[in-house]
Structure formats: structure tokens, C-alpha cells
Amino acid sequence: MRELLAEAIRLAVNMERNSERLYRRGAMAATELVQRSFFERLAQEESRHIEALLQQLSQHETAETEIAAMPARIPAAVEPATPPVNHLHQALLDKRFSIDLYATFCRCFKEPALCRFFDATLAAARREFKLITAEYLKGGRSDVPAYSPPRRSHVRGELPHRIPNPHSQLFFAMQDCGRQSRIG
């Protein structure tokens, strides 16, 4: 049982490290101070989560985990300058994936220790998801044009003077939508 819990902790640590890297990239790409500080705050929160998770492992297991999953430093010149909305969107997708995975693990495992662990990680992921969602909605979408064309590009008019085939999908669709058929 202890090995299964240790493996669950390692999985959560790797997911949190990936999230931390994503937030650090977002902080490097942010052009405004507010956005940069938001991503840095998220990255610091992730590093605190990682430290709390690693404290649950024994000293031997922690050393193995540290060696196996050393975070790679991301050079600043690697990532081109992209709008912060894209990084917020990526952060939303990342946290949504974490929430789905932790919720699945909560439902699958029956061991109380594993359930408590995944419940705690799920609660932390949900808190972060709320923060990211609020920032995403507050930030506005600058990449969406103010004017969007109408959804339909055609104008409904009279039906053609042909009788549709009574065995076709069009005939059934006309019957289903409540229009009277020209067939009679």
C-alpha cells in the first residue's frame, strides 16, 4: 500500500511540475506587469504544492524523485512572444486535465489513504482553476474580433418546386421540424 501511495505522490508531483513550468513560461512571455505577477504567483503556489507533496515521501523516495524528475530550465529565447491569453488558455486546459484525472482517481481507488490524498490534490487543483478562470474572464479576449459575421450565410426562401424524395433525410427533417410538406 505504501508503494501505491508513493507512486500517486510521484504522479502528482510530476503534474504539478509541468504546471509550474507552464506558468513560468507564461510569466516570461507576459508583457504586462499584472499578468507576469499572476503567472509568477501561480508558479510559486505550484512550487509550494510540490514541496508539500515531497514532504509526504520518505527521504529515500524523495532523493529518487528529485533525481528522476529534475526540472529543465527553459531559456527565455526559446519561446516567441505570444499573447498572454494563449498562456491563460493553456493553463485552463492544464488545470482542467488535472481536475479530471484527480477526480477519476478519487472514484477509482477505494483505499482511504489514496482517496484522502487525491481529494486534497483535487481541492487544490479546483482552487487554482477558479483563479485562472477568473483571470481569463477578466483579461478580455483581444484576439477575438469585435464584429463577428452572422452564423448563417444564406437566406431562407421558398423551397424549390420539386417534390423531395419521401424516403430521404431531407423529407424526414422537414417532417420533424414542423413545416408542412409540399407533398400534400
Side-chain angles (χ1 to χ4, degrees), residues 139-151:
R141 301 279 312 250
S142 61
D143 59 342
V144 175
Y147 170 75
S148 60
R151 289 185 66 127

Side-chain angles (χ1 to χ4, degrees), residues 6-172:
E7 187 62 31
I9 292 171
R10 282 190 210 102
L11 173 82
V13 165
N14 285 334
M15 290 185 66
E16 298 292 320
R17 279 192 177 135
N18 290 337
S19 296
E20 181 186 15
R21 286 185 204 123
L22 179 69
Y23 301 149
R24 298 240 185 253
R25 273 188 258 134
M28 286 190 302
T31 56
E32 296 180 15
L33 182 63
V34 174
Q35 296 162 345
R36 184 174 295 132
S37 65
F38 175 74
F39 280 118
E40 288 173 354
R41 187 180 59 189
L42 284 175
Q44 289 171 355
E45 191 171 324
E46 288 294 335
S47 65
R48 283 193 300 269
H49 290 163
I50 291 170
E51 290 172 11
L53 290 171
L54 289 176
Q55 286 176 356
Q56 295 181 10
L57 291 175
S58 69
Q59 294 297 329
H60 176 68
E61 293 168 339
T62 303
E64 290 176 2
T65 304
E66 290 291 328
I67 292 170
M70 289 294 287
R73 295 287 178 221
I74 302 164
V78 169
E79 180 141 347
T82 57
V85 174
N86 292 340
H87 291 287
L88 281 172
H89 184 70
Q90 282 301 113
L92 277 174
L93 293 176
D94 180 62
K95 272 303 149 191
R96 186 71 235 168
F97 173 74
S98 298
I99 289 171
D100 290 343
L101 186 67
Y102 293 148
T104 301
F105 287 154
C106 286
R107 287 190 303 269
C108 291
F109 291 110
K110 302 296 181 207
E111 180 65 34
L114 281 173
C115 290
R116 281 191 305 271
F117 172 74
F118 283 121
D119 280 337
T121 54
L122 179 62
R126 284 183 175 157
R127 279 192 306 271
E128 289 176 12
F129 184 74
K130 285 181 184 178
L131 288 173
I132 296 167
T133 303
E135 185 69 22
Y136 184 76
L137 294 176
K138 181 177 69 173
R141 301 279 312 250
S142 61
D143 59 342
V144 175
Y147 170 75
S148 60
R151 289 185 66 127
R152 287 196 182 112
S153 60
H154 66 280
V155 178
R156 288 190 180 180
E158 286 292 318
L159 291 173
H161 293 289
R162 297 178 290 176
I163 298 174
N165 181 355
H167 302 291
S168 70
Q169 292 293 328
L170 175 63
F171 180 78
F172 293 130

